[in-house]
Amino acid sequence: VAAASLAGMTVASGLAVFAFDKRDEARDQRREAEGLVGFMLGDLRDELEPIGKLKALDAVGTRALQYFEQQDKTELSDAALAQRSRALNLLGQISKARANPDAALARYREARRSTAELVERSPNDPQRLFDHAQNVFWIGEIARKRGQAAQAEVEYREYKRLADRMVAVDPGNPKWQMEVLYANENIGITLYNQRRFVEAEQIFKSSISPMQSLAARDSANADYQTEYSTLLAWLADTLRSQGRFDLAITTRQQELAFLRRLIADGRTDVVFRDHLIPAYQALGILLASKGEYIRAIEQLRLAVAEADRLIPVEPDNAYWRGLAAQARLDLAKTLIEANRPTEAAIAESAGCSDARRVLARDPSATWRPLQTACLSVRSRLALADKVPADAMKLAVQAVASARTERSADPIKDRYSIAAEQRLLGDIRRRAGDFVGAKAAWSDGLAPLPVNQIERPWEMNERAELLRRLGRADEAKPIFAKLAATGFRASN
């Protein structure tokens, strides 16, 4: 019996040692796998993001997420849970770049649940607060772009609360200081969308100096450099909305000089180039607003050229393609105003082609203004070619398209409709349909709000409709106010 017991104990001990070895082997394998996933979501992602390779990034995020889906989520370590969240966040960014906001939102929400759990486990860990804040921000950003201003503001203010908490825990860390600046910027954008331009201007101005200091302190940090550019862009747009065109032009030129200097210094991050496109475009629009068409066309052509350089890097990037479409259509519109219809037709054809490709991928309201702009420019070209039937048909379609637009500023959407109604009325008048023309102009004017802050081009829209409806006495003081800003009305 003693011998049998001894033999049993020996076997049991051997099995126990075997089990411990297997457990340690499994633990080592998991540690090795999670280390590989960490590399994929860290160093490898950092290598791929600056060159904009969506397919490669998608593969990284998908493989990492597949690994975690095979694990028991209730037993994931804090580090593994954080890696899973980063994989979801990456896939959310890829879906957003591919113009799939629904998929992006689903990924960000799932990632947010993971980071919220991590913050609950360690509420004073600034890195966990940071990771959670990124998901909160992107959920707010999607809401903003869908015109859900109230929801966006809720998310942005939560983001600000998290950023302030990071600094309170670790006040000397520039990364957390940067998050406070990001949060302030987002609140400024919310104010901008509410037409509280003076308040928004103050927030943007107050953030520029500390942002410039951070960018100078760490010149290798692409995020700091691009955010400084973004703040200048928002400040320029806020100044333009107030009719302060010269200062807005100076600010845009400052942004462009900064971006060009980065690229000249050998910075190859694609994000610098995709900032150049809207910067050139915005400067072109500003110059056109003052009637400086030759300079405006030059800047808009530079925007198109940058888009043509960028799109071949990743043809699936809907955001870049959308930027290209916007720049081409603004170029076409400015060429029409400069009485250069042949060149405008070339820009319109390429711009409408890009717009169709973007809308085929994302038919939501985000890119709907591209469709409206395409129809509007084509209508103006048909009118210039003396094909009134085609011009009329396209103008009717442009009005219908404008009615479907849903931006972050619902009041702005009304002026978009008014602009297309004015065009439709002008075409009807030229065709001799004076009753139909008056109806179109009246339909454009009626929904415009009263006692509302208006941007210069919106003031011009109201004044032009009033003038066409024979209400010149009401239009006259508006035109006088526009003239004082240097704004030149386009017909």
Side-chain angles (χ1 to χ4, degrees), residues 15-28:
L15 290 173
V17 170
F18 178 77
F20 285 134
D21 287 344
K22 286 296 183 183
R23 183 200 62 185
D24 291 342
E25 182 181 345
R27 184 181 296 159
D28 290 341

Side-chain angles (χ1 to χ4, degrees), residues 103-404:
L105 185 58
R107 293 298 194 187
Y108 288 134
R109 282 175 172 167
E110 190 175 356
R112 178 177 180 162
R113 286 192 288 272
S114 293
T115 51
E117 182 178 340
L118 287 167
V119 169
E120 187 176 348
R121 294 180 187 178
S122 298
N124 291 322
D125 185 329
Q127 183 61 50
R128 294 189 181 187
L129 290 164
F130 171 84
D131 291 341
H132 188 46
Q134 307 317 297
N135 296 317
V136 170
F137 162 76
W138 284 114
I139 291 170
E141 187 72 355
I142 291 174
R144 180 182 71 84
K145 291 187 175 180
R146 286 179 163 176
Q148 299 165 343
Q151 180 62 32
E153 184 173 355
V154 168
E155 301 297 343
Y156 287 157
R157 292 198 179 278
E158 172 62 7
Y159 178 34
K160 176 69 162 57
R161 186 190 70 79
L162 292 165
D164 287 340
R165 180 63 185 155
M166 292 174 218
V167 173
V169 173
D170 183 11
N173 192 318
K175 186 175 181 179
W176 316 144
Q177 296 168 15
M178 182 71 179
E179 290 303 298
V180 173
L181 294 174
Y182 280 142
N184 284 333
E185 178 189 329
N186 293 327
I187 293 172
I189 294 169
T190 302
L191 294 172
Y192 176 89
N193 290 335
Q194 296 175 45
R195 296 173 176 259
R196 295 159 63 181
F197 300 128
V198 175
E199 295 173 69
E201 178 191 346
Q202 294 307 312
I203 285 184
F204 295 138
K205 276 185 174 179
S206 69
S207 298
I208 282 179
S209 180
M211 186 67 257
Q212 190 175 20
S213 297
L214 280 175
R217 192 189 314 170
D218 187 357
S219 59
N221 190 310
D223 290 340
Y224 293 178
Q225 314 306 315
T226 54
E227 195 55 30
Y228 177 59
S229 164
T230 300
L231 276 171
L232 289 171
W234 275 111
L235 177 59
D237 283 350
T238 304
L239 293 166
R240 175 179 174 238
S241 295
Q242 297 175 70
R244 297 160 66 186
F245 293 106
D246 289 339
L247 191 52
I249 287 170
T250 300
T251 305
R252 278 293 182 182
Q253 289 172 333
Q254 183 182 351
E255 179 197 6
L256 281 164
F258 175 73
L259 290 169
R260 287 194 296 259
R261 187 164 62 249
L262 288 173
I263 293 170
D265 288 343
R267 299 298 295 269
T268 58
D269 306 58
V270 292
V271 69
F272 298 140
R273 291 201 174 275
D274 79 24
H275 274 54
L276 273 177
I277 300 170
Y280 279 128
Q281 179 188 4
L283 180 55
I285 292 170
L286 279 164
L287 292 167
S289 297
K290 298 187 66 177
E292 299 182 31
Y293 293 125
I294 294 176
R295 292 178 64 200
I297 289 166
E298 178 186 2
Q299 297 302 312
L300 290 166
R301 289 197 188 282
L302 288 170
V304 169
E306 285 300 330
D308 287 341
R309 289 190 191 97
L310 201 52
I311 286 175
V313 174
E314 181 50 80
D316 284 343
N317 193 315
Y319 175 67
W320 293 346
R321 181 99 36 199
L323 290 179
Q326 288 171 336
R328 294 184 205 280
L329 291 170
D330 279 329
L331 172 61
K333 181 181 177 182
T334 306
L335 287 164
I336 292 171
E337 292 171 358
N339 197 28
R340 293 159 66 173
T342 303
E343 296 171 77
I346 296 171
E348 171 272 320
S349 178
C352 288
S353 175
D354 281 334
R356 283 190 294 271
R357 292 182 66 173
V358 173
L359 287 162
R361 297 184 65 91
D362 180 13
S364 69
T366 303
W367 296 106
R368 201 68 51 79
L370 292 179
Q371 176 178 276
T372 305
C374 176
L375 292 165
S376 182
V377 169
R378 289 175 62 196
S379 176
R380 293 173 188 275
L381 286 170
L383 194 62
D385 288 341
K386 297 181 173 57
V387 188
D390 287 352
M392 183 85 70
K393 179 181 176 182
L394 289 163
V396 169
Q397 293 174 354
V399 170
S401 178
R403 293 188 186 280
T404 68

Side-chain angles (χ1 to χ4, degrees), residues 69-90:
E69 293 305 316
Q70 296 169 1
Q71 311 299 314
D72 184 347
K73 296 183 183 62
T74 62
E75 295 185 358
L76 288 178
S77 66
D78 287 4
L81 195 61
Q83 287 180 346
R84 179 175 181 273
S85 170
R86 284 194 285 274
L88 288 163
N89 183 282
L90 173 59

